Amino acid sequence: MKTLFLAWQDAPRATSQRTATRGWYPIGRLDVESEKPLYTFHYTRGALTAQSEAGFQPLDAFPNFERAYESEELFPLFQNRVPNPKRGDYLEFINRLGLTVEAANPFETDNLEVFPKIQKRRDGTFSVRFFLHGWRHVNMESQNRLSRLNEGDALQVAVEVNNPVTGAAVQLQTVDDYHMIGWAPRYLIKDMLSALGECPGDIHARICKLNPPPGPYNQRVLVELEGRLPENVEPMSAPEFQGIEP
């Protein structure tokens, strides 16, 4: 069984008078039984939070919050967000993700983002890759510093306690001069805070892949973060990742 989560961003919409926060919410979960195969999608409680805080509405492909959707084929919504070997730019696409052909994983394309469930190893360690969030909103000096980074460069991981969107946030900073270049995705915050609070010396991050223009801006900087979680913490077990009961 493989589990993928779907996140939604509260992005500006022409039909809305409300100011968008650009925050990310985990809204759904896709369980994949590869042997059958069988794909099961259902919304998580994060969708209800996104609805109450940001006006999120069910996706056209999955109109009922309380229903579990099953299919023997991958749902079209996910097909559009998984690297397809038949597409002409497939090798270029997975290269931007810092992956091999054998290990291609889905990632962000618009205001929806697909990400795999973090797997905690027996010794408590874990690793996760994500595209740097919010780098276009840091100051120009930090953006200039980001443009001088190299693949393999180490990054500092720091806690921000008064982020205007998320409250607590996890920042990524340059090691030598402490420029704040962006944030870890919102859906990782709770697990990262657990790891930083209990095992701060075991958290390490680095630039895994840089994708300069004309690559998509939301795939510009791929970060790999490794760490250790306390024994009593299971990643992605918070209510926002749990299914909605009928």
Side-chain angles (χ1 to χ4, degrees):
M1 175 77 72
K2 183 176 182 180
T3 297
L4 300 172
F5 288 102
L6 181 66
W8 171 82
Q9 185 184 32
D10 178 22
R13 285 163 285 178
T15 57
S16 175
Q17 300 298 317
R18 186 183 58 83
T19 301
T21 65
R22 295 189 179 274
W24 286 91
Y25 298 82
I27 60 164
R29 170 175 175 151
L30 179 71
D31 292 315
V32 183
E33 297 181 44
S34 57
E35 293 184 0
K36 293 186 178 181
L38 179 66
Y39 302 89
T40 303
F41 175 84
H42 55 84
Y43 286 101
T44 65
R45 297 181 199 172
L48 301 181
T49 302
Q51 183 184 47
S52 63
E53 294 182 359
F56 172 73
Q57 296 299 314
L59 303 170
D60 291 342
F62 309 111
N64 191 327
F65 275 145
E66 298 182 353
R67 177 183 168 187
Y69 296 85
E70 294 185 348
S71 173
E72 295 181 356
E73 297 183 356
L74 184 61
F75 300 103
L77 183 145
F78 289 92
Q79 290 177 3
N80 296 334
R81 290 167 173 82
V82 174
N84 185 344
K86 295 182 180 180
R87 58 188 284 179
D89 60 346
Y90 177 68
L91 293 178
E92 176 187 349
F93 182 72
I94 64 170
N95 184 55
R96 287 202 304 269
L97 306 183
L99 301 171
T100 63
V101 173
E102 294 77 15
N105 285 322
F107 273 98
E108 173 183 340
T109 56
D110 43 28
N111 72 327
L112 292 173
E113 180 172 335
V114 180
F115 57 97
K117 185 179 188 298
I118 295 176
Q119 299 298 326
K120 181 180 177 182
R121 306 183 186 100
R122 291 185 178 181
D123 61 358
T125 61
F126 70 94
S127 63
V128 60
R129 287 184 177 185
F130 55 85
F131 286 111
L132 186 70
H133 279 207
W135 65 267
R136 295 191 304 164
H137 304 290
V138 301
N139 61 48
M140 189 56 63
E141 185 177 356
S142 291
Q143 291 191 36
N144 290 336
R145 179 66 180 88
L146 189 151
S147 69
R148 301 194 302 273
L149 289 173
N150 298 302
E151 294 177 5
D153 283 357
L155 297 173
Q156 297 274 12
V157 183
V159 176
E160 178 183 354
V161 298
N162 58 353
N163 184 282
V165 175
T166 62
V170 175
Q171 297 181 356
L172 282 304
Q173 304 173 352
T174 55
V175 170
D176 51 351
D177 47 11
Y178 298 100
H179 281 86
M180 201 284 285
I181 59 171
W183 292 266
R186 174 176 178 163
Y187 54 75
L188 292 177
I189 290 176
K190 290 183 179 179
D191 291 327
M192 295 302 97
L193 292 179
S194 295
L196 286 164
E198 297 291 332
C199 312
D202 292 327
I203 300 294
H204 306 281
R206 68 181 181 92
I207 299 292
C208 183
K209 188 80 172 101
L210 293 170
N211 301 304
Y217 76 86
N218 55 11
Q219 297 179 3
R220 193 62 48 83
V221 183
L222 183 66
V223 176
E224 182 174 65
L225 187 147
E226 297 180 323
R228 183 186 302 274
L229 287 165
E231 184 177 350
N232 62 338
V233 173
E234 183 63 30
M236 297 183 174
S237 59
E240 61 203 58
F241 293 100
Q242 305 304 309
I244 299 173
E245 297 297 330

